[in-house]
Amino acid sequence: MALLPILHYPDPRLHTKAQPVAVVDERIRQLVRDMAETMYAAPGVGLAATQVNVHERVIVIDTSEDKSGLLALINPKIIARDGEQECEEGCLSVPGIYDIVKRAEHVRVRALNEKGEPIEFDADGLLAVCVQHEIDHLEGKVFVEYLSPLKQNRIKAKIAKRARITA
């Protein structure tokens, strides 16, 4: 397994729309393992392939306290959504930045697992937020794009300032 480099906002590659996975093979299973290792090391609760510069529809999520609930979703699709919740979100591609985003409270998800088997499940709470957040990445959207243009500009300025300080 290997830790993968995570792209940071406003890297334009984060806006690349991911392509469907044609076949779930050993290459995809290795990607899932590497993405999981990268997510846990970061540490985070979700990671989309887009964030590691792989533009295929693969996400990993683990919202468990003890890191025992890894969920690999290949070609995930939200097939139903209901309700509304506001949740503070952060992102491994936008480190240190958190803000409130409106999301559906409940979602029904269809995907393939890492064995290539079809799965379907309902998610609410944090899992629903994570699924929506990571699928957004596959569509080329970062959570800060839900914020006002003023907040987006402040975030970009803060990130640029951080980059100058560490350079």
Side-chain angles (χ1 to χ4, degrees), residues 33-128:
R33 289 189 294 272
D34 291 346
M35 287 173 58
E37 183 179 359
T38 302
M39 175 187 70
Y40 289 133
V45 296
L47 187 68
T50 301
Q51 293 176 270
V52 293
N53 202 29
V54 176
H55 303 288
E56 294 181 271
R57 298 187 73 77
V58 178
I59 62 177
V60 294
I61 295 173
D62 189 345
T63 59
S64 68
E65 292 289 323
D66 63 356
K67 311 276 188 264
S68 65
L70 181 65
L71 191 56
L73 302 176
I74 298 157
N75 298 335
K77 183 178 280 190
I78 294 173
I79 57 173
R81 54 182 86 226
D82 182 40
E84 186 175 274
Q85 64 179 323
E86 288 188 345
C87 201
E88 184 176 67
E89 292 187 28
C91 181
L92 296 176
S93 290
V94 195
I97 305 294
Y98 301 89
D99 215 313
I100 302 296
V101 177
K102 283 185 186 179
R103 301 271 188 190
E105 187 174 10
H106 307 283
V107 294
R108 181 143 190 87
V109 181
R110 185 177 291 150
L112 299 174
N113 65 17
E114 66 276 9
K115 296 175 186 169
E117 302 164 336
I119 58 171
E120 200 169 296
F121 63 94
D122 293 308
D124 56 15
L126 179 58
L127 180 56

